Amino acid sequence: AKGAGRNTLRFFDPRTQANVTARTLLEAGLREGLRDGHFLLHYQAQINAHQGVVGAEALVRWQHPQRGLVSPAEFIPVAEASGLIVPLGTWILRTACQQLVAWGQDARTAHWTLAVNVSARQFRHSHFVDEVLGVLEETGANPHRLKLELTETLLLDDVEDTIGRMEQLRRHGVGFSLDDFGTGYSSLSYLKRLPLDQLKIDQGFVRDLLTDADDASIARTIVTLAHSMDLGVIAEGVETCEQRDMLIGLGCLTWQGYLFGRPGPAAELQAAAAAHAVV
Ligand code: C2E
Ligand code: CA
Ligand code: CA
Ligand code: CA
């Protein structure tokens, strides 16, 4: 993954013409992929200590005809820069809502929530709120089961506008989770004003939770903050039982990570749910 990250950086280096060309090609590829239906959603379970699987996060994948599965870390930034994130984001929302409807029809999954990532450019688009409400209506998905994941940078870019959009969606029952919490420049006074439901502890703090005292105290602070603001808290990137147990000790009882399952097709999530019915 580290190697891929380095390649990505080199790939998008704006200083050389070759990279500009590569980026233009990727953009054209995205456009084609959207037209030809080459995107799909994978789902990763979210587990609560008492309730088992409580929902999932939708993660987009690009099934490229020649390159195979392309990582969103590579194509989401290009989709953002080109504006393609707007139609792609709508497709993601619609597909996620269709999945919610399917889960709603099965007693074992009817209570599951689905978290959907939203990019800055998508969120700021003038029709974003109407788009979300339109997709909810068109699919018949329960808005109370839909959770949008937003990042700090996005939220704080224009706080008044952000709060307005969030409030409109909240009135219909849509929830909000603050993704990658702790990695941005969040000011706690802003945090208080934002109508959030959940903080998501970034995987960067979970990775070395057992060996890095600073990461442990940041994680503890986030949990305390969430509790004192009456917000839920979830940790991402949980890979080991030791990390999970440490999180329990810190008071974080909802988790997501390879320990419980990798992102995969909806059917695989159903199997994971059976395996983790009781933790
Ligand atoms: P993110 O929202 O922070 O998503 C979490 C990433 O961590 C995912 O990578 C997930 O597969 C990975 N992950 C999950 N569990 C573990 C674990 O235990 N250990 C480790 N090391 N990693 C884990 P992925 O799917 O490659 O997505 C990367 C990023 O791309 C996402 O980060 C998000 O920013 C963006 N992205 C993915 N899907 C979407 C989408 O549908 N819309 C938008 N706008 N962005 C998306
Ligand atoms: Ca996320
Ligand atoms: Ca995250
Ligand atoms: Ca992240």
Side-chain angles (χ1 to χ4, degrees):
K2 271 206 174 107
R6 270 197 302 274
N7 286 336
T8 306
L9 282 178
R10 215 169 32 233
F11 193 58
F12 294 123
D13 188 329
R15 286 169 297 191
T16 69
Q17 186 55 45
N19 291 326
V20 172
T21 307
R23 191 194 170 103
T24 309
L25 279 174
L26 190 60
E27 211 180 294
L30 281 171
R31 218 174 287 276
E32 258 169 51
L34 202 53
R35 188 194 62 205
D36 299 343
H38 291 163
F39 289 94
L40 65 152
L41 291 188
H42 275 176
Y43 300 90
Q44 186 177 35
Q46 299 185 328
I47 317 280
N48 176 270
H50 303 300
Q51 297 154 269
V53 177
V54 288
E57 177 179 5
L59 294 154
V60 69
R61 301 290 181 256
W62 182 15
Q63 183 71 62
H64 192 280
Q66 281 88 43
R67 295 175 58 193
L69 272 193
V70 184
S71 161
E74 184 174 342
F75 68 79
I76 289 288
V78 179
E80 268 262 322
S82 61
L84 280 171
I85 193 66
V86 175
L88 178 60
T90 301
W91 179 87
I92 290 167
L93 265 170
R94 185 179 300 117
T95 308
C97 285
Q98 285 164 350
Q99 189 59 58
L100 265 181
V101 170
W103 287 341
Q105 286 158 355
D106 183 334
R108 290 165 299 182
T109 55
H111 61 287
W112 285 5
T113 59
L114 186 51
V116 177
N117 293 283
V118 175
S119 301
R121 185 141 175 200
Q122 183 189 0
F123 183 76
R124 294 291 168 209
H125 191 270
S126 52
H127 297 140
F128 177 70
V129 170
D130 291 337
E131 201 76 67
V132 176
L133 295 178
V135 166
L136 282 165
E137 197 176 288
E138 164 204 327
T139 57
N142 182 348
H144 292 92
R145 303 266 172 267
L146 178 67
K147 195 160 64 180
L148 301 181
E149 292 201 1
L150 310 173
T151 61
E152 288 168 80
T153 332
L154 175 158
L155 288 169
L156 300 183
D157 177 45
D158 182 346
V159 183
E160 296 309 322
D161 181 64
T162 297
I163 294 173
R165 285 167 196 258
M166 289 173 81
E167 291 292 1
Q168 283 185 61
L169 289 169
R170 276 182 86 81
R171 276 200 285 280
H172 295 266
V174 176
F176 292 93
S177 183
L178 178 40
D179 203 359
D180 304 338
F181 188 63
T183 61
Y185 50 82
S186 42
S187 138
L188 296 183
S189 58
Y190 279 140
L191 193 59
K192 225 177 76 182
R193 295 180 55 208
L194 295 169
L196 290 162
D197 300 277
Q198 184 183 62
L199 302 181
K200 194 163 194 181
I201 304 175
D202 188 67
Q203 57 187 62
F205 302 117
V206 175
R207 192 175 307 121
D208 301 320
L209 202 54
L210 289 112
T211 51
D212 188 322
D214 292 334
D215 286 350
S217 62
I218 291 170
R220 177 180 287 108
T221 305
I222 295 174
V223 175
T224 308
L225 191 65
H227 289 162
S228 71
M229 292 175 63
D230 214 18
L231 300 175
V233 62
I234 181 170
E236 69 178 355
V238 182
E239 294 182 353
T240 68
C241 294
E242 290 76 15
Q243 289 169 336
R244 179 201 58 195
D245 294 343
M246 177 107 176
L247 286 161
I248 293 174
L250 300 178
C252 177
L253 301 183
T254 308
W255 322 293
Q256 186 183 336
Y258 296 165
L259 176 62
F260 309 100
R262 291 185 177 250
E268 277 174 29
L269 182 62
Q270 236 94 354
H276 294 282
V278 179
V279 178

